[in-house]
């Protein structure tokens, strides 16, 4: 884009530039006020394509693809003007589960800022069928067909903002869609042989109605279990499971290997905490758990305790320690870990992630 050329005037400042479409554009600002566009002329077109230009919050670009949802073709446009119609409303069409129509002001919406422009708006229809205090949020584009270059001039908010349609605001659009001087010049391709085409594309933003609350709960209620394993010397299975206990809607249980597992077998006591039904967690769903595993010293209160923290998944939902404590220490009578042939193992959850879905 060329640098602007300024023209001095005691009360008015103006500049002229060539935009990416090859339009010579003149902007006039009232001096002494915040910069405010008073007048915008687009005078001529060149063959520059596939570029965009934005000004005053409106973005204009060109594309090959026609409007997805609706096109309005007008033949004998000059005869429409002779009717002195202020506004022409299109037929109703559907997009995004709602009914819409286009409102075209051929000579501009003089009640807005549409003098010397074509004005085009999107109107939501059949609102009487919508619930009380209804609201529809949508992002939309409006179009004018360039019949010479077989391109569609696309007009939208430069920031792609979503517009809120509701009982007090059922119409959004552009007072200054295209200047009448540009539109009426057949060499620009918008009005050729007294024929023109407008269009619309609407993307409704529907709230999913569902949301998730993730809480990191410290010391959840009922988040511990004390498990007394009696007749410990008579155990003959490789592993044993405690009864389940519930913490924040999930079930847990302790798993003990009296003679160890894997590389710890025959050397250490192995202790784990299992998330019951953890194998049924949805894909990519994880549960954070920080917890202590403990073997009680029933004589001196010198307990063996270890802490672990992990994100548990469907493929990895049992965590603990293969080498929790040496079997030699475990079976040493003086140490008091096995008393009256009973071993006491505890699990205490310190922090737990809790995910709740709402709709």
């Amino acid at each position: 884009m060329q640098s602007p050329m300024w023209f001095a005037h005691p009360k008015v400042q103006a500049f002229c530039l060539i935009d990416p479409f090859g339009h010579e554009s003149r902007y006039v600002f009232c001096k002494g006020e915040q910069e405010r566009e008073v007048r915008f002329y687009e005078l001529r077109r060149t063959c520059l394509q596939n570029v965009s230009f934005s000004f005053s919050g409106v973005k204009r670009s060109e594309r090959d693809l026609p409007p997805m949802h609706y096109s309005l073709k007008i033949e004998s446009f000059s005869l429409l003007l002779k009717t002195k119609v202020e506004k022409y409303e299109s037929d109703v069409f559907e997009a995004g589960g709602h009914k819409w129509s286009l409102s075209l002001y051929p000579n501009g919406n003089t009640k807005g800022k549409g003098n010397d422009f074509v004005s085009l708006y999107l109107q939501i229809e059949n609102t009487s069928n919508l619930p009380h205090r209804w609201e529809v949020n949508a992002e939309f584009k409006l179009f004018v067909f360039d019949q010479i270059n077989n391109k569609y001039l696309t007009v939208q908010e430069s920031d792609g903002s979503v517009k809120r349609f509701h009982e007090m605001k059922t119409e959004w659009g552009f007072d200054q869609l295209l200047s009448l001087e540009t539109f009426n010049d057949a060499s620009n391709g918008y009005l050729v042989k007294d024929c023109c085409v407008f269009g619309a594309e609407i993307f409704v933003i529907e709230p999913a109605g569902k949301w998730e609350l993730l809480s990191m709960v410290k010391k959840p209620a009922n988040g511990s279990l004390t498990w007394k394993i009696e007749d410990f010397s008579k155990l003959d299975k490789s592993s044993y499971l405690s009864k389940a206990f519930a913490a924040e809607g999930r079930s847990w249980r302790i798993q003990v290997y009296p003679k160890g597992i894997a590389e710890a077998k025959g050397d250490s006591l192995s202790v784990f905490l299992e998330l019951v039904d953890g194998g049924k967690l949805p894909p990519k769903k994880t549960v954070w758990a920080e917890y202590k595993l403990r073997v009680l010293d029933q004589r001196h209160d010198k307990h063996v305790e270890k802490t672990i923290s992990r994100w548990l998944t469907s493929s990895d939902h049992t965590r603990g320690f293969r080498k929790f404590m040496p079997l030699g220490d475990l079976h040493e009578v003086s140490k008091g870990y096995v008393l009256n042939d009973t071993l006491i193992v505890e699990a205490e959850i310190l922090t737990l992630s809790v995910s709740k879905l709402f709709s």
Side-chain angles (χ1 to χ4, degrees):
M1 182 179 291
Q2 294 181 358
S3 300
M5 298 170 53
W6 287 93
F7 302 92
H9 187 275
K11 295 183 178 180
V12 175
Q13 285 184 330
F15 69 91
C16 173
L17 54 81
I18 305 298
D19 70 29
F21 280 111
H23 297 92
E24 180 180 318
S25 307
R26 292 194 179 95
Y27 304 91
V28 183
F29 300 89
C30 292
K31 193 171 183 179
E33 299 182 10
Q34 182 181 3
E35 288 189 346
R36 175 173 61 89
E37 182 182 11
V38 179
R39 196 90 174 197
F40 171 47
Y41 294 102
E42 298 171 284
L43 296 181
R44 67 177 182 268
R45 164 181 297 275
T46 65
C47 294
L48 296 176
Q49 298 173 350
N50 300 319
V51 290
S52 63
F53 175 64
S54 61
F55 186 80
S56 298
V58 179
K59 176 182 177 181
R60 291 173 171 84
S61 59
E62 287 190 331
R63 77 180 203 190
D64 298 323
L65 190 67
M68 180 182 297
H69 296 119
Y70 198 73
S71 293
L72 169 64
K73 182 176 182 179
I74 302 175
E75 296 178 337
S76 302
F77 186 78
S78 61
L79 295 181
L80 175 65
L81 295 179
K82 287 184 178 180
T83 67
K84 297 184 179 180
V85 62
E86 178 185 12
K87 175 177 68 173
Y88 177 80
E89 294 182 309
S90 76
D91 199 0
V92 175
F93 61 95
E94 185 172 346
H98 295 278
K99 303 290 186 179
W100 310 87
S101 67
L102 289 177
S103 296
L104 172 67
Y105 290 76
N107 280 312
N109 182 7
T110 57
K111 296 178 182 177
K113 298 179 180 178
N115 285 325
D116 299 322
F117 286 83
V118 176
S119 304
L120 185 63
Y121 306 89
L122 179 66
Q123 169 89 27
I124 190 167
E125 300 287 350
N126 293 8
T127 56
S128 60
N129 297 328
L130 297 176
H132 179 59
R133 300 185 68 178
W134 61 270
E135 181 176 313
V136 176
N137 297 298
E139 180 181 343
F140 65 91
K141 301 174 183 178
L142 300 181
F143 298 81
V144 189
F145 184 44
D146 176 354
Q147 302 170 61
I148 293 177
N149 296 298
N150 197 32
K151 298 279 185 179
Y152 286 87
L153 176 66
T154 306
V155 185
Q156 64 186 118
E157 297 286 344
S158 59
D159 59 357
S161 61
V162 175
K163 295 301 182 183
R164 177 172 165 256
F165 293 79
H166 54 90
E167 293 177 353
M168 303 301 293
K169 181 68 174 178
T170 60
E171 184 180 80
W172 288 95
F174 304 100
D175 292 337
Q176 301 179 358
L177 183 81
L178 199 61
S179 71
L180 285 173
E181 188 168 0
T182 297
F183 178 76
N184 291 325
D185 186 343
S187 66
N188 291 321
Y190 302 122
L191 183 63
V192 177
K193 296 181 180 179
D194 212 17
C195 176
C196 56
V197 180
F198 299 93
E201 200 167 85
I202 305 106
F203 300 95
V204 175
I205 312 300
E206 290 285 0
K210 294 182 179 180
W211 57 283
E212 179 179 349
L213 172 63
L214 175 64
S215 302
M216 305 301 288
V217 180
K218 295 185 66 175
K219 294 186 176 181
N222 305 314
S224 63
L225 174 68
T226 299
W227 180 25
K228 292 184 177 181
I229 307 175
E230 298 178 343
D231 299 322
F232 186 72
S233 63
K234 299 177 183 179
L235 300 181
D236 56 2
K237 295 181 181 180
S238 62
S239 68
Y240 291 84
L241 290 168
S242 73
K243 68 178 182 180
F245 67 100
E248 297 295 333
R250 295 194 181 277
S251 294
W252 308 82
R253 59 188 177 188
I254 304 170
Q255 186 175 27
V256 167
Y257 290 79
K259 297 180 180 180
I261 185 176
E263 74 276 5
K265 191 171 184 178
D267 178 68
S268 300
L269 176 74
S270 302
V271 184
F272 302 87
L273 183 65
E274 178 192 15
L275 172 59
V276 181
D277 293 332
K280 297 181 180 179
L281 286 172
K284 299 184 179 182
K285 185 66 177 179
T286 57
V287 176
W288 171 263
E290 180 184 11
Y291 50 89
K292 290 181 179 180
L293 295 173
R294 186 182 301 118
V295 170
L296 299 189
D297 173 357
Q298 302 175 61
R299 291 183 184 274
H300 316 100
D301 290 335
K302 294 181 179 179
H303 312 311
V304 177
E305 179 180 277
K306 294 187 177 183
T307 302
I308 188 170
S309 54
R310 288 288 189 277
W311 283 104
L312 305 177
T313 67
S314 60
S315 60
D316 186 11
H317 55 275
T318 301
R319 279 286 185 164
F321 302 91
R322 292 177 179 177
K323 296 182 178 182
F324 187 81
M325 64 181 297
L327 290 178
D329 290 346
L330 178 67
H331 295 294
E332 176 63 46
V333 175
S334 64
K335 292 185 180 293
Y337 297 116
V338 179
L339 184 63
N340 298 324
D341 207 19
T342 299
L343 178 73
I344 302 177
V345 182
E346 289 185 343
E348 180 187 359
I349 298 178
L350 305 176
T351 307
L352 185 61
S353 69
V354 179
S355 177
K356 296 180 180 179
L357 296 177
F358 299 87
S359 59

